[in-house]
Amino acid sequence: MSDWEAVIGLEVHVELSTRTKMFSACPNEFGGAPNTRVTEVDLGLPGTLPVVNGTAVEHAIRMGLALDCEIAPVSQFHRKNYFYPDMPKNYQISQYDVPICGVGHLDIETSEGPVRIGVTRIHMEEDAGKNVHVGESGRVHGADYSLVDYNRAGVPLLECVSEPDIRTAEQAQAYLTELRGIVLALGISDAKLEEGSMRCDANVSIHKPGTPYGTRAEIKNMNSVRSLGRAIEYEIARQIDVVESGGTVVQETRHWDEDAGTTSTLRRKETLDDYRYFPDPDLVEMVPDPAWIEEIRASLPELPAVTRARLIDAHGLDRKSVVTMQDAGLIPLLDAAVAGGADAADATKWLVNEVAGWQNETGRSAVEALPGEEFASLLGRVADGTLGKGGARKVLTSVLAGEGTVADLAKDHEQVSDVSAIEAIVDQVIAEQADAAQKVRDGNPKAMGALVGGVMRASKGKADPALVNQLLNAKLTG
């Protein structure tokens, strides 16, 4: 690999969170029984006319401004002609040479330092349907037969096309991760790679530095950041092996097989001429009002890079924890906790160690299940000693499950700090575990754990651990 350099460009498709589809009044909702969420417009039946979704246009402009793109004063929709079963009209309404967003950039952080990746364009289009392959024929990528579900046909899409500025799999993963964070911050999509609401294709070629770029192959079917990295690394190695063996890399679309960890030919890559673009005669040019663009610019939220810098600079948090909270969408809870007087570092530990895990297990959003003021209230009770960590975990789990408020639930888990009450339990445990107590007196501090555990069990987890340790030490080692 030292003699070769990879040249990588990414095409990221983002399904927009709009109430209706791109050109019809059909509800834009994920899932549903096959072919139940589709209208005559989505199918392109004779006599129907598309109407542009204004919210989708606003989302596109928001994305463009976030990536410092040029917003086109005039943009246009084209028909992109191709004949696949998942495209019911036999053409896709897309944008060709006049996209809504022009040149921009995205800055990423890598192990080798910051890298700026150029953005060629962001254009709007409609999604295709979905082919469902049924059975096992034994052929590569084969099936006994295929069905088509058109529910996804017409869903509004943004396609963000990068410049071929990416050189490694790590950079590609960082780019996709940062782009997804921006999409989530803007609130324009749920960006779920596993559900296909955010999809990434990678164009990969190799060359020796100082020579022209090689022929690129496009890789599809990557539904995670990890898969993107694995697929790129495999494709780079494959192309090097082809060239060094005397072969020629061909321009084609390749399928990524997650289980096998390999790419394979899907189809020969079409060229722009094959698509026979022409302006859609049913749609007029889009001319966004400059004042509207500035209103959108003023409404942009804090973007992920700015958020990271703010939290690290203001609170001394480590970057890894901040990134974990960003990926999990937990920054609003951190900000709410800090606003409520909680220590940022303590709040971060709870979010990273407890809340993020709950989200992974349940697949639910903690921001929706746990109001910020409730999280702040929980941390306040831990800080003042009202709740121990064990009790606080139980309260947190109950609040996330919708079983009540922190104030109500905490009553059953409040920490006992009454010295006389805990001292009585300590004396009882010392008497019951005389052997462990004697080991502590003889200078074996490890035996103290059994005694502390005994007191906590006897108090049903409500005794203040610090006070328990203090009393045991006073009675056995003082």
Side-chain angles (χ1 to χ4, degrees):
M1 182 63 198
S2 59
D3 295 333
W4 297 92
E5 179 181 65
V7 178
I8 305 162
L10 298 184
E11 299 172 5
V12 180
H13 293 80
V14 179
E15 286 188 354
L16 299 177
S17 298
T18 55
R19 187 175 58 83
T20 57
K21 290 186 177 181
M22 186 68 231
F23 299 109
S24 78
C26 183
N28 177 21
E29 299 174 353
F30 177 78
N35 298 309
T36 58
R37 291 176 178 162
V38 63
T39 68
E40 298 87 346
V41 175
D42 308 315
L43 295 174
L45 297 184
T48 60
L49 288 173
V51 178
V52 176
N53 186 321
T55 301
V57 176
E58 180 177 347
H59 286 351
I61 293 173
R62 287 172 69 82
M63 187 68 175
L65 293 173
L67 296 180
D68 203 25
C69 291
E70 302 169 357
I71 307 302
V74 179
S75 62
Q76 187 176 29
F77 284 103
H78 283 69
R79 291 187 180 182
K80 179 181 181 182
N81 297 274
Y82 60 93
F83 302 95
Y84 297 151
D86 59 0
M87 181 53 66
K89 300 191 293 283
N90 287 331
Y91 66 85
Q92 177 188 36
I93 302 177
S94 183
Q95 293 187 304
Y96 176 41
D97 55 350
V98 280
I100 191 166
C101 302
V103 176
H105 66 267
L106 177 60
D107 294 325
I108 60 173
E109 291 289 334
T110 73
S111 60
E112 298 179 349
V115 178
R116 172 163 290 188
I117 306 299
V119 172
T120 306
R121 56 187 277 154
I122 300 174
H123 64 262
M124 307 178 67
E125 60 188 22
E126 59 180 340
D127 209 345
K130 182 179 181 181
N131 292 318
V132 181
H133 306 294
V134 182
E136 298 180 0
S137 67
R139 301 188 306 273
V140 177
H141 312 315
D144 293 328
Y145 60 92
S146 296
L147 301 173
V148 184
D149 177 8
Y150 288 123
N151 280 352
R152 199 173 66 185
V155 167
L157 280 182
L158 289 186
E159 181 172 349
C160 181
V161 182
S162 82
E163 289 287 322
D165 293 340
I166 300 170
R167 294 293 175 266
T168 67
E170 180 200 359
Q171 290 180 9
Q173 290 175 304
Y175 176 92
L176 182 60
T177 300
E178 190 71 9
L179 193 67
R180 182 175 182 272
I182 290 173
V183 168
L184 291 172
L186 295 174
I188 63 176
S189 173
D190 60 17
K192 293 181 178 179
L193 288 157
E194 68 279 5
E195 291 184 1
S197 56
M198 188 171 188
R199 308 192 290 276
C200 181
D201 302 333
N203 291 288
V204 180
S205 67
I206 59 167
H207 76 131
K208 292 189 176 181
T211 66
Y213 289 171
T215 301
R216 70 181 186 274
E218 181 185 40
I219 314 171
K220 288 184 175 292
N221 193 44
M222 297 164 292
N223 62 359
S224 70
V225 174
R226 178 175 178 269
S227 293
L228 174 65
R230 292 180 65 209
I232 288 174
E233 288 177 347
Y234 174 85
E235 185 60 21
I236 292 171
R238 183 193 73 84
Q239 292 187 20
I240 291 173
D241 183 63
V242 168
V243 175
E244 291 186 343
S245 299
T248 302
V249 176
V250 298
Q251 184 172 337
E252 61 182 352
T253 298
R254 297 182 67 84
H255 171 88
W256 167 248
D257 187 318
E258 180 68 26
D259 293 331
T262 60
T263 65
S264 58
T265 299
L266 186 62
R267 60 179 180 267
R268 289 298 172 94
K269 179 64 177 174
E270 296 87 349
T271 65
L272 291 177
D273 291 339
D274 294 325
Y275 290 126
R276 302 187 314 283
Y277 282 98
F278 65 87
D280 193 304
D282 294 333
L283 293 166
V284 298
E285 294 178 332
M286 291 189 297
V287 184
D289 186 339
W292 182 47
I293 294 174
E294 292 309 310
E295 288 178 9
I296 296 173
R297 189 192 305 275
S299 71
L300 292 179
E302 183 179 69
L303 297 179
V306 177
T307 299
R308 286 195 298 272
R310 170 174 63 82
L311 296 175
I312 292 170
D313 292 345
H315 305 296
L317 302 179
D318 66 278
R319 189 178 189 279
K320 183 179 179 181
S321 294
V322 174
V323 170
T324 297
M325 289 186 288
Q326 282 189 315
D327 290 347
L330 298 176
I331 298 299
L333 286 176
L334 175 64
D335 286 337
V338 172
D343 178 75
D346 290 340
T348 295
K349 291 177 182 177
W350 280 91
L351 291 170
V352 171
N353 298 331
E354 306 293 339
V355 180
W358 177 86
Q359 284 194 158
N360 290 335
E361 291 175 5
T362 63
R364 295 175 56 202
S365 167
V367 172
E368 295 177 1
L370 177 65
E373 59 272 17
E374 288 292 291
F375 183 50
S377 175
L378 178 73
L379 295 182
R381 283 171 165 77
V382 175
D384 66 17
T386 302
L387 287 175
K389 290 184 178 179
R393 289 190 184 95
K394 294 177 181 177
V395 172
L396 174 63
T397 300
S398 296
V399 174
L400 287 168
E403 297 174 0
T405 66
V406 170
D408 293 335
L409 295 166
K411 296 175 183 177
D412 295 329
H413 301 282
E414 288 182 354
Q415 192 165 252
V416 176
S417 298
D418 180 85
V419 176
S420 59
I422 295 178
E423 187 171 18
I425 298 174
V426 167
D427 290 338
Q428 176 187 338
V429 170
I430 290 175
E432 292 174 349
Q433 300 188 43
D435 289 346
Q438 189 57 49
K439 288 179 181 179
V440 173
R441 292 189 183 98
D442 293 339
N444 183 357
K446 291 183 179 180
M448 183 69 81
L451 298 173
V452 172
V455 175
M456 297 307 295
R457 285 191 297 274
S459 67
K460 297 182 179 180
K462 293 184 178 182
D464 182 343
L467 183 55
V468 171
N469 277 279
Q470 179 184 335
L471 290 172
L472 284 169
N473 277 301
K475 290 177 180 291
L476 301 176
T477 66

